[in-house]
């Protein structure tokens, strides 16, 4: 082994390309995420934020480049995608809870069927997580009975129940009423404090500034600018970043 | 925070709404009664009514034919009860096979597609004839020549193709994001199908499935074409021996007695499921 553990980032994207038909969404995106880091992806609609997260979780195959997880290229065709997904959790914009299952069944399904945990063990762990996020009394409810914020918190718990080494958040507050956004962001803050490695795509600039170790401004399928929140939000160097943040600021979202 | 006050309702509004409700109810009742009175009068005043009543609605004939018709009808019920579970299992298998993407299973996918295409193209009545007379004619060792058996098999073959398409429509109606969520949690394709996709798909197609059940209950009469004495044959035998048609009406009433509760059950299930969706 030439490289020591410290040299290998938790996640490394090298020159990732992804097109849907003729529409090139990722055009050579490169990015490193170290363990315990929180990297936020910001940028205009269609810049590739969601796509890159789906590619990291192998929900979309990439066309060129590599996605390295602990130094292993997991993006190569034929790599055991399920093995990667067991280690990387993802939370979607529209929650995607299973509507025919109670909250606790949503959470325990994968630990039982994929990790082979007994129902008792899985349920106990689910209840611990639900209690931690103030959802214990919702355990037996069906998703439709929950508010959007509660549903999204359950979706986060469902992903956490797999004990992931990394979490991906795909604009998880975009589908929520403004007064429900805070409760979801609070959960993500808690995860950062617990040291979880996270990659977030978000439109919540204030939150991005507060929570990120580093911020990546995505434009036209590449990382146009990368830096600490202070560098990106207070002194952006790239003109496209400056324009984007100015527009967002005018919309009152900064 | 103070205790929130109860709902505020203006009594004047309420009484207007209630009065309108009572008026609507009265109009509906009167018009329904009137409609059936007029219909009854038109039928009963028709010149041929006494003759029709004598041959179609004769209580004595109904009583006399009952011992022949009732046991025969139980045979129809038996055919249905045996065929239906097999149809459900077979159809679900076909629907799942059509959705498989693994390359090694490609031949199964092709067979399932051809099966549904061809079988749905053949009228059930022809399939009953072809299988009921054709398969025994092969004189294969170890196969029964029972018309009842092959008639039932023909119904199973025909309905499986239809019900498979109902299941497939259900599977395709589940949003792709559900599959993505299942996959993202590390569930493999089979697990995602079994625990996430199929439970939602089957729930959605319960009303159309029950509709096909009702249809099958009636189509059990097609087995009569092979000479099996089920309710249709039993009632025509009686009708031909007495030159009356009351026995056929009795058979029809038996089918209605079976299918109407099924139809109400279908509505009840649909209503219950839409309530469940809201919790």
């Amino acid at each position: 082994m030439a490289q020591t553990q410290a040299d290998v980032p938790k996640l490394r994207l090298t020159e990732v390309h992804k097109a849907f038909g003729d529409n090139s969404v990722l055009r050579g995106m490169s990015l490193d995420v170290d363990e315990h880091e929180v990297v936020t992806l910001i940028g205009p609609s269609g810049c590739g934020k969601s796509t890159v997260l789906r590619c990291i979780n192998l929900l979309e195959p990439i066309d060129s480049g590599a996605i390295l997880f602990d130094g292993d290229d997991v993006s190569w065709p034929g790599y055991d995608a399920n093995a990667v997904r067991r280690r990387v959790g993802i939370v979607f914009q529209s929650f995607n809870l299973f509507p025919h299952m109670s909250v606790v069944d949503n959470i325990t399904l994968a630990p039982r069927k994929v990790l082979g945990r007994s129902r008792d063990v899985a349920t106990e762990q689910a209840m611990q997580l639900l209690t931690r996020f103030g959802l214990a009394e919702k355990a037996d409810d069906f998703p439709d009975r929950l508010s959007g914020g509660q549903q999204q918190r359950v979706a986060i718990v469902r992903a956490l129940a797999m004990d992931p080494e990394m979490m991906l958040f795909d604009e998880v507050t975009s589908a929520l009423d403004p007064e429900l956004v805070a409760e979801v962001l609070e959960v993500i803050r808690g995860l950062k404090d617990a040291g979880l490695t996270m990659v977030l795509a978000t439109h919540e600039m204030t939150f991005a500034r507060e929570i990120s170790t580093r911020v990546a401004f995505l434009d036209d399928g590449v990382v146009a600018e990368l830096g600490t929140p202070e560098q990106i939000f207070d002194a952006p160097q790239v003109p496209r970043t400056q324009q984007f943040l100015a527009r967002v600021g005018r919309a009152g979202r900064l | 925070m103070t205790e929130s006050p109860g709902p505020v309702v203006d009594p004047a509004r309420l009484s207007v709404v209630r009065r309108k409700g009572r008026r609507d109810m009265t109009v509906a009742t009167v018009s329904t009664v009137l409609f059936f009175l007029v219909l009854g009068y038109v039928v009963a005043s028709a010149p041929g009514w006494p003759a029709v009543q004598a041959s179609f609605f004769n209580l004595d004939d109904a009583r006399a034919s009952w011992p022949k018709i009732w046991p025969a009808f139980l045979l129809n019920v038996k055919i249905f009860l045996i065929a239906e579970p097999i149809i459900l299992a077979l159809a679900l298998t076909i629907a799942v096979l059509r959705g498989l993407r693994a390359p090694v299973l490609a031949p199964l996918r092709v067979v399932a597609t051809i099966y549904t295409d061809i079988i749905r193209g053949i009228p059930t009545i022809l399939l009953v004839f072809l299988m009921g007379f054709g398969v025994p004619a092969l004189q294969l060792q170890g196969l029964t020549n029972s018309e009842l058996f092959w008639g039932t098999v023909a119904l199973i073959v025909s309905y499986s193709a239809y019900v498979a398409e109902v299941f497939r429509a259900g599977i395709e109606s589940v949003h792709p994001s559900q599959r993505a969520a299942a996959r993202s949690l590390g569930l493999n394709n089979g697990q995602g199908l079994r625990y996430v996709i199929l439970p939602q798909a089957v729930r959605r197609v319960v009303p159309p499935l029950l509709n096909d059940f009702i249809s099958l209950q009636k189509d059990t009469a097609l087995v009569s074409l092979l000479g099996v004495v089920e309710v249709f044959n039993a009632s025509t035998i009686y009708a031909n021996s007495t030159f009356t048609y009351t026995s056929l009406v009795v058979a029809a009433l038996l089918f209605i007695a079976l299918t109407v509760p099924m139809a109400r059950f279908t509505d009840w299930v649909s209503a219950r499921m839409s309530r469940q969706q809201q919790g």
Side-chain angles (χ1 to χ4, degrees):
Chain A
M1 282 245 226
Q3 286 179 312
T4 63
Q5 200 67 26
D7 295 332
V8 182
K10 190 75 189 163
L11 173 74
R12 166 169 283 173
L13 307 182
T14 49
E15 288 290 314
V16 172
H17 288 259
K18 170 72 186 173
F20 295 98
D22 290 337
N23 178 24
S24 273
V25 178
L26 305 182
R27 301 163 184 263
M29 186 173 290
S30 298
L31 181 70
D32 283 1
V33 178
D34 286 324
E35 196 154 19
H36 306 307
E37 238 197 334
V38 178
V39 173
T40 305
L41 313 177
I42 62 169
S45 289
C47 68
K49 298 190 293 285
S50 290
T51 303
V52 73
L53 293 182
R54 291 177 69 88
C55 287
I56 294 170
N57 203 246
L58 307 186
L59 289 170
E60 301 287 353
I62 63 172
D63 300 330
S64 174
I67 298 172
L68 303 155
F69 196 63
D70 285 335
D72 284 339
D73 184 358
V74 297
S75 68
W76 197 253
Y79 195 94
D80 181 5
N82 292 329
V84 178
R85 296 189 187 119
R86 259 170 253 153
R87 302 164 64 192
V88 183
I90 186 166
V91 182
F92 303 94
Q93 183 176 342
S94 50
F95 329 140
N96 300 358
L97 292 177
F98 306 133
H100 60 297
M101 290 183 187
S102 68
V103 162
V104 73
D105 287 343
N106 260 279
I107 298 167
T108 55
L109 177 68
R112 282 166 51 215
K113 302 302 172 191
V114 178
L115 304 179
R117 289 181 187 155
S118 73
R119 182 181 280 275
D120 287 348
V121 170
T123 304
E124 196 189 319
Q125 184 214 14
M127 290 312 297
Q128 276 173 8
L129 283 166
L130 285 171
T131 307
R132 181 170 146 204
F133 297 116
L135 290 161
E137 76 277 17
K138 303 290 180 193
D140 295 321
D141 282 353
F142 280 80
D144 289 3
R145 290 285 291 245
L146 273 50
S147 74
Q150 289 167 339
Q151 288 191 50
Q152 192 58 293
R153 285 187 286 153
V154 170
I156 295 173
V157 168
R158 182 174 70 175
L160 288 175
M162 293 296 285
D163 298 326
E165 297 163 36
M166 179 191 296
M167 283 282 281
L168 311 172
F169 293 88
D170 185 5
E171 300 189 25
V172 291
T173 58
S174 297
L176 297 178
D177 290 341
E179 80 266 27
L180 301 176
V181 168
E183 62 187 70
V184 173
L185 297 185
E186 190 53 43
V187 168
I188 299 174
R189 263 185 214 111
L191 297 179
K192 182 194 174 160
D193 295 341
L196 193 60
T197 311
M198 295 190 276
V199 182
L200 296 82
T202 187
H203 291 296
E204 304 283 340
M205 296 303 158
T206 316
F207 181 67
R209 175 196 279 264
E210 171 207 324
I211 198 161
S212 307
T213 332
R214 284 183 303 151
V215 176
F217 174 70
L218 272 50
D219 188 43
D220 214 16
V222 295
V223 176
E225 189 166 0
L226 179 68
T228 63
E230 292 74 26
Q231 286 169 341
I232 297 294
F233 290 112
D234 297 335
Q237 301 300 306
V238 179
R240 287 284 296 142
T241 318
Q242 293 163 355
Q243 287 163 14
F244 173 74
L245 290 173
R247 270 208 315 278
V248 172
R250 274 201 300 281
R253 297 296 291 263
L254 204 58
Chain B
M1 221 169 80
T2 57
E3 200 171 316
S4 62
V8 177
V9 182
D10 179 354
R13 264 171 195 277
L14 195 65
S15 86
V16 171
V17 170
R18 287 215 174 123
R19 215 176 315 135
K20 185 179 182 306
R22 274 197 298 274
R23 199 172 57 230
D24 289 354
M25 190 67 163
T26 313
V27 171
T29 312
V30 169
S31 67
T32 307
V33 169
L34 218 59
F35 172 78
F36 283 105
L37 280 178
V38 169
L39 187 70
Y41 176 77
V42 168
V43 171
S45 66
W49 171 245
V52 167
Q53 191 181 20
S55 62
F56 281 85
F57 301 102
N58 186 321
L59 214 56
D60 292 335
D61 277 326
R63 249 185 237 117
S65 63
W66 179 261
K68 296 283 178 204
I69 292 183
W70 174 248
F73 180 69
L74 291 181
L75 180 60
N76 290 67
V77 174
K78 203 167 133 194
I79 294 171
F80 168 74
L81 289 178
I82 291 171
E84 188 58 47
I86 301 174
I87 289 167
L88 284 176
L90 198 58
L92 188 59
T93 310
I94 294 167
V96 168
L97 285 179
R98 287 197 69 171
L100 291 178
R101 275 170 289 179
V104 68
L105 299 170
L108 286 176
R109 198 165 61 231
V110 171
V111 168
T113 308
I114 293 175
Y115 178 86
T116 49
D117 281 0
I118 291 192
I119 297 299
R120 281 189 305 154
I122 305 174
T124 309
I125 193 168
L126 282 181
L127 212 57
V128 170
F129 260 117
L130 291 173
M131 294 199 74
F133 293 133
V135 179
L138 290 174
Q139 299 185 340
L140 286 169
Q141 281 290 306
L143 278 186
T144 173
N145 286 340
S146 155
E147 291 86 2
L148 177 60
F149 179 84
W150 289 110
T152 307
V153 169
L155 287 177
I156 291 171
V157 167
S158 176
Y159 270 82
S160 300
Y162 284 100
V163 175
E165 288 299 281
V166 172
F167 276 129
R168 194 164 73 101
I171 290 170
E172 283 177 4
S173 77
V174 178
H175 198 269
S177 65
Q178 287 287 311
R179 194 182 290 266
R183 302 287 277 140
S184 78
L185 289 166
L187 295 166
N188 62 35
N189 266 325
Q191 290 171 324
L193 194 67
R194 180 165 162 208
Y195 300 112
V196 176
I197 308 295
L198 283 184
Q200 297 184 56
V202 170
R203 251 164 240 237
R204 279 178 208 191
V205 297
V206 163
L209 279 182
L210 290 172
N211 192 41
D212 280 344
F213 280 21
I214 292 170
S215 188
L216 175 64
Q217 286 173 354
K218 294 178 300 165
D219 277 356
T220 52
L222 290 174
V223 178
S224 66
L225 295 167
L226 304 174
V228 176
V229 183
E230 47 65 74
V231 72
F232 177 72
N233 270 347
S235 51
T236 39
I237 288 167
Y238 184 88
N240 292 341
S241 66
T242 59
F243 304 105
T244 63
Y245 297 102
T246 300
S247 55
L248 292 174
V249 174
V250 171
L253 289 175
L254 283 172
F255 276 113
I256 291 171
L258 192 64
T259 53
V260 168
M262 191 72 160
R264 292 282 72 79
F265 177 68
T266 307
D267 289 352
W268 179 78
V269 169
S270 312
R272 188 168 150 268
M273 284 196 323
S274 62
R275 267 204 311 279
Q276 232 172 24
Q277 273 299 311
Q278 285 141 32

